[in-house]
Amino acid sequence: MAIKKILVPTDFSEQSLNALKVSAQIARKYNSEIHLLHLLDLPLELIDPLNEGVARDLPESLFFMKLAHKRFTETFEKYQKELDGLVVHETVEFNQAFEGIMEITNKHGCELIVMGSSSVSGLQEVFIGSNTEKVVRHSNVPVLVIKDDIPIFSTQEMVFSSSLKESQYKTFIEAVNLAKILDSKLNLVYINTPHSFRTNAFIEERLEKFTKGIDRDSFNFEVYSDKSIENGIRNYANKINADLIGIGTHGRKGISHFFNGSLSENIVNHAQRPVITFKI
């Protein structure tokens, strides 16, 4: 895994600009390009599906296109110091938010998506609402969610929570590789809860199978007990003063997602620290 191209969706809100500033720090450190994306989600009746690109000829679309480019110019001027010397691609697309983000990610081969989120209301109040939930749940590349303005984005301590099941092995490998790129100390944590209590012998046996073929020096392992997995992850991250919380997301759809919920979305919603999600 490399971080050569970073996608940053923006609506020019404070939250999305916080994500841009973190992206600039990552890009400067790893010589990455930034694709700054603004999506114009026009009503479907304004777009003729049989005549691709017709929206660009409509007065409404031309107005919003010019307005978007004006906001890009203002952003580049405001953050000239942060963006100086970086390669930043300005992209405005007529597309629905979630579909547009996935399409541009695939088109340009971006390895990381960085998105802003409200530190108060969390995931449901991200700049495109439920579309960010879809990105976190379904993106095939890691999604980094930024809550606050972070003048210096540190990645010294990274937490990755796992149940140590075989289905999460690929995700853990991604976390190990990302930790190496970010020069992070990776802390693999198993959250033991009263409702699903496991003995040390059980956990050690599962850990042995789960990490087979992985250099044990590449991560630290700890069992942490709490009343729920979500609380355990957040409290453990607080305990070690983690810079970043990593977690896998299942990408469940429909009624399955309704009944099972999504731990990754809850963590993104409630954690005050930056969270990075990996597709299981």
Side-chain angles (χ1 to χ4, degrees), residues 152-177:
I152 301 177
F153 180 61
S154 173
T155 56
Q156 292 183 12
E157 294 280 351
M158 176 179 172
V159 169
F160 185 83
S161 174
S162 175
S163 60
L164 308 180
K165 293 180 179 178
E166 184 180 351
S167 61
Q168 298 178 3
Y169 180 79
K170 175 178 173 292
T171 306
F172 181 56
I173 292 294
E174 286 189 52
V176 170
N177 291 337

Side-chain angles (χ1 to χ4, degrees), residues 227-259:
K227 61 182 180 180
S228 71
I229 295 177
E230 181 186 338
N231 283 351
I233 293 171
R234 291 193 285 117
N235 290 332
Y236 178 74
N238 291 337
K239 172 189 171 184
I240 68 170
N241 195 26
D243 301 296
L244 185 62
I245 297 174
I247 192 166
T249 178
H250 285 281
R252 292 189 179 100
K253 299 181 180 180
I255 195 166
S256 174
H257 178 259
F258 177 80
F259 282 112

Side-chain angles (χ1 to χ4, degrees), residues 103-142:
E103 183 178 305
I104 296 300
T105 299
N106 295 331
K107 178 180 178 181
H108 296 291
C110 298
E111 294 93 0
L112 177 68
I113 299 173
V114 184
M115 306 183 77
S117 169
S118 167
S119 60
V120 177
S121 301
L123 187 65
Q124 298 305 318
E125 296 298 325
V126 181
F127 72 96
I128 48 175
S130 61
N131 286 289
T132 300
E133 175 195 353
K134 293 179 184 177
V135 174
V136 166
R137 203 190 315 158
H138 298 297
S139 174
N140 289 320
V141 303

Side-chain angles (χ1 to χ4, degrees), residues 180-222:
K180 289 178 180 177
I181 291 172
L182 298 177
D183 197 23
S184 303
K185 176 185 176 183
L186 181 61
N187 298 275
L188 174 63
V189 60
Y190 180 96
I191 306 299
N192 216 357
T193 66
H195 297 294
S196 185
F197 177 79
R198 302 298 185 187
T199 65
N200 283 346
F202 175 91
I203 296 171
E204 288 170 6
E205 181 181 354
R206 181 174 280 189
L207 176 68
E208 188 70 26
K209 294 179 181 178
F210 185 74
T211 59
K212 187 176 182 180
I214 301 175
D215 182 5
R216 289 293 296 267
D217 291 333
S218 63
F219 65 92
N220 171 60
F221 177 71
E222 191 168 343

